[in-house]
Amino acid sequence: MNQGDLFEQTGWIDLPDGKLYWQPDFISANEAALMFESLLSTLPWQQLPIKMFGREVLQPRLQAWFGEHGYTYSGLMLPPAKFPPLLDNLKNRCSRVAGDEFNTVLANLYRDGQDYMGWHQDNERELGPSPNIASLTLGESRRFVLKHIHTGEKREFELGSGSLLIMAGKTQTFWQHALPKTAKTREARINLTFRKIIY
Ligand SMILES: O=C(O)CCC(=O)C(=O)O
Ligand SMILES: [Mn+2]
């Protein structure tokens, strides 16, 4: 599917069994560049291990986490941590668009095109049955793919710096998503995924 044909529009997009919000210019290019540099140098980036086929391996990206409460993500226990002011501000801006109150952010740092995120659903019980997940990109743009788990139908987005993609409705039940490896870039991308953990 050609992203340029379908996804130049801004706003809510209906999917079969899901819903997305797409705004490529949510943050201006200048502001996004400043935020990228600030977060790159100040967040406590860590390369965390996950269990794969019973073995511990390092994830192919760096991560940082902030939230009022702890969170279990891919078997990792992430402890509570206070939001830095910039992330608090972005959380509030994303919350207004989603019409929801995000209370956590998982930040991903893809150091270059070799860092990636495999196919998954963000369907942890703590997120509830129809979670809003807001995904903000800063820095290098990367291709993001969604695939319906029953029909195999795909949607693709080029997530550029300053873009906002919100996955909503039943998207986490019926669609997987991934950020594939690419040989096209050696530049870094920061992705902020704002989530609401329900207690
Ligand atoms: O980097 C991205 O765009 C995707 C991140 C993601 O899916 C996640 O953190 O669960
Ligand atoms: Mn995800």
Side-chain angles (χ1 to χ4, degrees):
M1 177 130 354
N2 186 340
Q3 178 252 342
D5 290 338
L6 262 182
F7 296 121
E8 273 166 13
Q9 71 195 64
T10 283
W12 288 99
I13 301 165
D14 277 323
L15 293 178
D17 305 316
K19 208 165 102 171
L20 303 172
Y21 177 90
W22 171 236
Q23 189 173 346
D25 60 353
F26 181 66
I27 293 174
S28 73
N30 283 346
E31 201 187 354
L34 290 172
M35 289 176 177
F36 172 81
E37 291 303 333
S38 162
L39 295 175
L40 184 65
S41 58
T42 60
L43 293 193
W45 296 108
Q46 285 184 298
Q47 191 174 17
L48 298 169
I50 40 162
K51 273 240 158 73
M52 285 255 280
F53 311 112
R55 274 196 320 132
E56 286 223 325
V57 294
L58 290 177
Q59 299 194 77
R61 65 192 165 274
L62 308 189
Q63 292 188 313
W65 155 266
F66 301 92
E68 298 154 27
H69 307 273
Y71 181 44
T72 307
Y73 174 87
S74 296
L76 284 176
M77 275 293 299
L78 302 166
K82 194 170 157 30
F83 272 77
L86 171 56
L87 293 187
D88 195 56
N89 175 272
L90 288 173
K91 167 175 70 80
N92 295 337
R93 286 166 73 173
C94 290
S95 292
R96 274 197 291 279
V97 177
D100 205 351
E101 269 305 314
F102 296 119
N103 57 13
T104 61
V105 62
L106 181 68
N108 295 297
L109 170 59
Y110 303 88
R111 293 160 291 185
D112 58 28
Q114 294 307 293
D115 274 354
Y116 68 97
M117 174 91 68
W119 287 110
H120 69 283
Q121 288 149 274
D122 292 301
N123 55 5
E124 287 88 3
R125 187 179 308 151
E126 300 96 308
L127 296 174
S130 304
N132 288 305
I133 297 181
S135 164
L136 192 63
T137 292
L138 302 169
E140 187 62 321
S141 75
R142 291 282 294 263
R143 194 168 65 89
F144 178 84
V145 196
L146 290 135
K147 184 171 71 182
H148 193 287
I149 59 168
H150 298 311
T151 65
E153 196 175 331
K154 283 194 174 171
R155 294 284 189 286
E156 291 193 9
F157 290 85
E158 187 67 30
L159 300 184
S161 193
S163 70
L164 174 66
L165 179 72
I166 302 176
M167 296 181 277
K170 288 285 171 198
T171 307
Q172 299 308 322
T173 308
F174 291 102
W175 295 74
Q176 295 193 317
H177 56 276
L179 191 92
K181 271 190 196 184
T182 173
K184 285 188 194 146
T185 181
R186 295 187 174 193
E187 299 300 319
R189 165 179 182 264
I190 289 175
N191 166 256
L192 305 171
T193 58
F194 294 96
R195 301 153 193 254
K196 178 176 168 183
I197 297 189
I198 301 163
Y199 298 89

